[in-house]
Amino acid sequence: MKVYITRNIPEAGLKLLKDAGLDIAVWTENYHQPEEELIKVLQQYDAVLVSGPVKVDRHFLESCRHLKIVSLMSVGYDNVDTEAARALGIAVGNTPGVLSGATADAAFLLMLAASRKAFHMHKEIIRGNWNFWDPTANLGLELGGRTLGIVGLGKIGFEMAKRCVGAYDMKVIYHNRGKNEEAEKAFGAVRVSFDELLEQSDVVSVHTALTPETKGLFNKNAFSKMKPSSIFINTARGGVHNEADLIAALESGTIWGAGLDVTNPEPMAADNPLLNMPNVAVLPHIGSATVDTRNAMAVIAAKNVILALGKRPLEHAVVENIHLA
Ligand SMILES: NC(=O)C1=CN([C@@H]2O[C@H](COP(=O)(O)OP(=O)(O)OC[C@H]3O[C@@H](n4cnc5c(N)ncnc54)[C@H](O)[C@@H]3O)[C@@H](O)[C@H]2O)C=CC1
Ligand SMILES: O=C(O)C(=O)CO
């Protein structure tokens, strides 16, 4: 059986695949393989491990209907047409849980960096602008006892709440599809409407999946309901906020600052105005990028491939394997 990997993955995952006797090939070029070329290559493979931003749409899936599994090395699956995969009998796996702590760390880092203008200060030193200690310059915001509003309180949102409560005793409110009893018990988190969350939060941190309902959720209307002293954090997907509206909200002082690990498009252009705003911190989608987490993600993604090819249920399924033994 042959497995194609769309971008090199940690050795722990490769080893599992090799030890299972699978024949593997990895795309190692310094650019993403063009979609049509990838589809052509995949005609020779039984499974694909998607370890990069590949658009697994209906055209892709119909062109690769022989695949037993699309194994994502990510928890997010907004790049996959899951309805088409289900209809075509192609299993889809993902890697939830193991990346929650690392991604919440990135959200926490962005919150602190934006609140103290840290990335901007770093650039100012490089520019030679560290002149003197000024009692009225470079002032940031403190987080102690403030209100954290989490939109999408699932696994990563929970870890973010844990950090903010532990470090700053922040009050947690949340907006979610369902009640999160564990968070209510652990942090006294209170479920509120989306508008209440916007109006009451000092920090709004987004942790939902990108879906038709959450696409562009943070637009001019949403930002207008936030406090002028508030900070917007997005480590979910860039499509959840409208970038032009975010820039306008920051420029007009409608909100105070922002921290982004995800943008739309990715990569962000080097001349994007957000990169020159003092109260904004941007990272290049590195939420899950720690050695331990990427190893763990690679292992799950590899296991899902092995399970699908062995006609067994996946460890983590977005679309379950219908070809069970
Ligand atoms: N920056 C990065 O490197 C990473 C980003 N992510 C993103 O984070 C997202 C969340 O991951 P997890 O916490 O593991 O997922 P999860 O499924 O545990 O949590 C998502 C939460 O959002 C809620 N939700 C979904 N639609 C909603 C809506 N319309 N309104 C309110 N709440 C809604 C769900 O009920 C759930 O509680 C992923 O889908 C992915 O896009 C994940 C990992 C790394
Ligand atoms: O897992 C995801 O969804 C990511 O964005 C990368 O870890």
Side-chain angles (χ1 to χ4, degrees), residues 212-232:
E213 299 89 65
T214 61
K215 188 167 180 229
L217 182 65
F218 282 86
N219 55 17
K220 186 176 175 189
N221 184 37
F223 291 126
S224 74
K225 292 177 182 158
M226 289 171 62
K227 295 183 187 178
S229 57
S230 65
I231 298 174
F232 171 72

Side-chain angles (χ1 to χ4, degrees), residues 68 108 113 121 134 161 164 173 182 188 198 237 243 271 290 316 321:
K68 298 288 180 294
F108 190 82
M121 297 299 161
D134 184 342
C164 293
I173 58 177
E182 200 187 344
L198 298 175
R237 284 291 181 267
E243 188 181 279
D271 63 354
T290 70
H316 291 289
N321 183 16

Side-chain angles (χ1 to χ4, degrees), residues 84-155:
R86 201 165 287 116
L88 292 160
I90 303 171
V92 179
N94 70 343
T95 61
V98 292
L99 42 58
S100 306
T103 308
D105 283 345
F108 190 82
L109 182 165
L110 287 166
M111 175 181 74
L112 263 178
S115 74
R116 298 300 296 270
K117 312 182 187 199
F119 290 15
H120 169 72
M121 297 299 161
H122 183 82
K123 280 191 277 178
E124 286 294 90
I125 297 169
I126 294 168
R127 290 181 189 127
N129 290 338
W130 185 350
N131 297 326
F132 46 84
W133 191 86
D134 184 342
T136 61
N138 303 330
L139 305 185
L141 296 181
E142 291 190 23
L143 299 163
R146 304 268 193 231
T147 297
L148 168 72
I150 296 199
V151 177
L153 184 45
K155 286 183 272 302

